[in-house]
Amino acid sequence: MLLELFVPANAPLAGDLVEECERRGSALWYWRQVLSAIAIAVATDVGAHRMLVVRAIAAGWTTLWLFSFVGAEINRFMSGWVLDRLILLFWTHPFPMLWATQLSTRPAMALGFVISGWAVGRLHRNNRPAMLVVFTLTVLAWSIYGDVMRLMTSSNIPASFRLVRLMFTPLPLLILVGGFWGTTLVNRRNGHESITV
Amino acid sequence: MILIAILRVGENAYGVPIARELEETGRRSVLLGAVYAALDRMEKHGLVSSRLGEPTAQRGGKAKRFFTVTSKGISAAKDTQRALTALWTGVPVLKGGTR
């Protein structure tokens, strides 16, 4: 399924991997082949369409920026109405504090990632996997940098809260979910299961 | 190398036997994704042509993609052989085989 998503034009490669994996019987060999095939396909596509890469990154970040206005409203709701209910519900439990400091902004962020991925995917239907991967990597790099800087500068955050923050570092991977939303179904409906040589 | 591997495999030249041929002759593991990337580039340059076979259940319902070396590919392979032979001769350390 990963190969179908990331290397949609190469069904024979997926078949070759299935055939050879049965002969070798090694899951490690299979996953190495799958991940490297994805990396090679993405790198080849990126090398061949550099201007599209710039456009995909610009479109993705612009969508994230535009969504930040809606996100601010969602955050206000999460840290206001929802937090009030959580305090009433949990009272002395530390969860409302965790929600207020670490979790309340995550739903809006998650939604922003899904929507920006969807936008990049829709704008780059012919090169969707490569453009999504490149955009995701830029956001992931920004996310890791932001989290590392925040952890280094704020020493008063409890260790358990730091762990929660680290758990959410891969959240930008939701861009891929948004980007590939409905792709498999559409491809199957259009009969793109085999490639045209 | 891939061109020669296709020629050596013959009629049944699709991804798996090509990769096996490369592994056996080169004595190193081969990434199938890299083989396909190279084959795609070669097809764009007209060195190989490909056709799809029938999908089989043994391969998860996926078809085989059979490759053939074109006449342009054969002359490119011969050119490479000539160039390599020319480079090979006149290197004293390589005379009488490699160490």
Side-chain angles (χ1 to χ4, degrees):
Chain A
M1 189 187 162
L2 266 182
L3 267 180
E4 266 182 42
L5 279 178
F6 285 92
V7 198
N10 211 340
L13 169 62
D16 285 355
L17 289 178
V18 170
E19 183 184 330
E20 191 64 353
C21 182
E22 275 185 18
R23 189 181 71 93
R24 291 179 188 247
S26 163
L28 190 70
W29 177 89
Y30 180 77
W31 280 107
R32 183 172 160 257
Q33 292 284 339
V34 168
L35 294 177
S36 60
I38 291 169
I40 290 164
V42 167
T44 308
D45 219 7
V46 165
H49 304 95
R50 297 207 176 154
M51 285 311 291
L52 280 184
V53 170
V54 175
R55 194 178 82 168
I57 293 171
W61 280 99
T62 306
T63 311
L64 276 179
W65 175 71
L66 287 173
F67 183 79
S68 68
F69 297 105
V70 181
E73 291 304 314
I74 298 173
N75 287 343
R76 201 164 297 139
F77 173 74
M78 293 292 175
S79 57
W81 191 88
V82 175
L83 181 62
D84 288 349
R85 299 302 173 282
L86 287 173
I87 291 169
L88 286 175
L89 201 64
F90 290 97
W91 201 235
T92 54
H93 195 274
F95 182 70
M97 176 65 91
L98 182 70
W99 176 265
T101 58
Q102 307 294 325
L103 301 179
S104 62
T105 57
R106 303 297 169 169
M109 280 173 83
L111 194 59
F113 291 144
V114 171
I115 289 172
S116 64
W118 178 82
V120 171
R122 295 288 287 191
L123 282 172
H124 305 88
R125 289 176 199 213
N126 294 332
N127 311 87
R128 193 192 306 252
M131 300 307 133
L132 282 173
V133 168
V134 170
F135 173 54
T136 306
L137 286 177
T138 64
V139 180
L140 205 55
W142 164 79
S143 171
I144 291 168
Y145 173 76
D147 281 354
V148 168
M149 290 309 284
R150 250 177 250 127
L151 286 176
M152 281 169 65
T153 51
S154 48
S155 54
N156 55 345
I157 299 176
S160 56
F161 283 23
R162 285 171 189 242
L163 189 69
V164 171
R165 179 171 282 280
L166 283 177
M167 276 167 58
F168 281 101
T169 303
L171 203 63
L173 293 178
L174 285 174
I175 290 168
L176 298 176
V177 175
F180 285 122
W181 196 265
T183 309
T184 320
L185 281 174
V186 170
N187 280 353
R188 289 213 171 122
R189 203 164 45 228
N190 292 346
H192 288 177
E193 290 240 302
S194 57
I195 60 165
T196 312
V197 182
Chain B
M1 271 182 88
I2 292 180
L3 281 179
I4 316 286
I6 296 171
L7 289 170
R8 281 172 67 104
V9 173
E11 290 273 300
N12 195 33
Y14 66 97
V16 173
I18 295 171
R20 269 185 214 160
E21 187 67 31
L22 290 169
E23 277 188 341
E24 281 162 19
T25 50
R27 283 183 236 154
R28 60 181 172 186
S29 69
V30 168
L31 294 171
L32 266 164
V35 172
Y36 271 94
L39 286 166
D40 283 339
R41 266 200 312 276
M42 285 179 191
E43 190 165 33
K44 270 186 198 151
H45 288 110
L47 302 176
V48 298
S49 61
S50 68
R51 65 179 170 82
L52 282 181
E54 289 299 312
T56 57
Q58 186 205 1
R59 294 165 49 84
K62 313 285 184 201
K64 289 175 184 171
R65 188 175 165 195
F66 293 100
F67 292 89
T68 327
V69 181
T70 60
S71 51
K72 192 181 172 187
I74 290 173
S75 65
K78 282 179 180 168
D79 285 348
T80 309
Q81 187 193 24
R82 262 195 297 275
L84 279 174
T85 312
L87 278 170
W88 208 266
T89 52
V91 182
V93 76
L94 295 177
K95 269 187 182 159
T98 52
R99 274 177 292 158

